[in-house]
Amino acid sequence: MKQARIPNETELKRLLAVVVTTRYSARNRIIVMLSYYAGLRVGEIAALKVGDVYDADGNVREQIALKAAYTKGNHARVVFVNAKLTRELEKFATSFKTTMDFDAPLISTQKRKAFSANTLCQLFMDLYSKAGIDGASSHSGRRSFITKLAHNGVSTKVIMTLAGHKHLTTTQRYIDVNDEMMRKAVEVL
């Protein structure tokens, strides 16, 4: 099975520029950010509730506790929210028209209903298509997240846990390698 392509920095900027032009730009941006900065699967993004991400005071949680029902393997896990994602989620909170409904979907359709994972996949495909990024999919952000962690020296065991994988071989398949990375690796010697 062909892996989702990982967009480079220029392509990611182009994707975000396209997102700004969309009707629901704040929602679409946070979808992309959850994929790239937290490594979430589309099903996990679609399942999130406002209360999973924001506390009773409306502050961004430091950790998102993914319930077992949200995850692919039906195993609960914790997602750590980094500083970049925290800033994005703080900006996104300003898009709520009224007080936060903590039981409402974090990401909702124009009819205020939760997205299905399939519909969210289609949205990702549409955004990548508009940005002219071939081979990318809803899994591209997740692959980017895992690959960046690996290239920054994070232990594969830690990456495996953050990704919610049961097997190291699964995590290893996500890590992309290119000539520049191999060049840097041999320069360490």
Side-chain angles (χ1 to χ4, degrees):
M1 185 171 157
K2 190 173 180 178
Q3 294 272 24
R5 183 167 165 268
I6 299 174
N8 61 38
E9 288 302 313
T10 303
E11 291 169 325
L12 181 56
K13 286 178 184 175
R14 194 167 66 228
L15 172 65
L16 294 174
V18 164
V19 166
V20 169
T21 68
T22 61
R23 183 173 179 192
Y24 301 100
S25 59
R27 177 201 69 192
N28 294 345
R29 182 176 175 88
I30 205 64
I31 290 166
V32 171
M33 295 296 113
L34 287 165
S35 178
Y36 278 83
Y37 291 140
L40 295 179
R41 297 175 179 98
V42 289
E44 295 165 346
I45 296 169
L48 286 174
K49 305 280 187 232
V50 171
D52 295 327
V53 177
Y54 301 97
D55 66 20
D57 295 324
N59 298 313
V60 176
R61 296 182 186 277
E62 291 180 8
Q63 301 173 3
I64 299 171
L66 291 180
K67 298 174 177 87
Y70 293 5
T71 67
K72 182 178 177 182
N74 208 31
H75 296 283
R77 78 172 195 276
V78 173
V79 173
F80 291 85
V81 180
N82 66 29
K84 287 180 181 179
L85 185 55
T86 297
R87 285 190 299 275
E88 293 289 343
L89 288 164
E90 287 169 348
K91 279 193 277 185
F92 182 65
T94 65
S95 71
F96 294 114
K97 302 282 189 259
T98 58
T99 58
M100 292 184 176
D101 175 359
F102 294 97
D103 293 323
L106 178 67
I107 308 299
S108 59
T109 66
Q110 64 189 30
K111 295 180 181 180
R112 296 279 182 224
K113 302 288 182 197
F115 269 87
S116 69
N118 186 41
T119 306
L120 209 50
C121 280
Q122 292 172 16
L123 176 60
F124 266 107
M125 294 302 286
D126 183 54
L127 293 172
Y128 283 121
S129 176
K130 286 178 179 173
I133 304 170
D134 294 328
S137 75
S138 60
H139 231 53
S140 293
R142 183 168 167 77
R143 283 199 68 221
S144 176
F145 172 80
I146 291 169
T147 297
K148 283 182 180 179
L149 290 174
H151 293 166
N152 284 305
V154 177
S155 156
T156 7
K157 179 69 175 167
V158 172
I159 298 169
M160 182 180 99
T161 304
L162 289 171
H165 291 150
K166 285 185 179 180
H167 304 285
L168 192 56
T169 55
T170 305
T171 305
Q172 289 171 325
R173 284 196 309 262
Y174 275 73
I175 300 170
D176 191 38
V177 176
N178 63 35
D179 289 347
E180 180 62 25
M181 294 167 208
M182 290 186 286
R183 192 174 297 109
K184 284 181 183 178
V186 297
E187 290 301 323
V188 172
L189 300 176

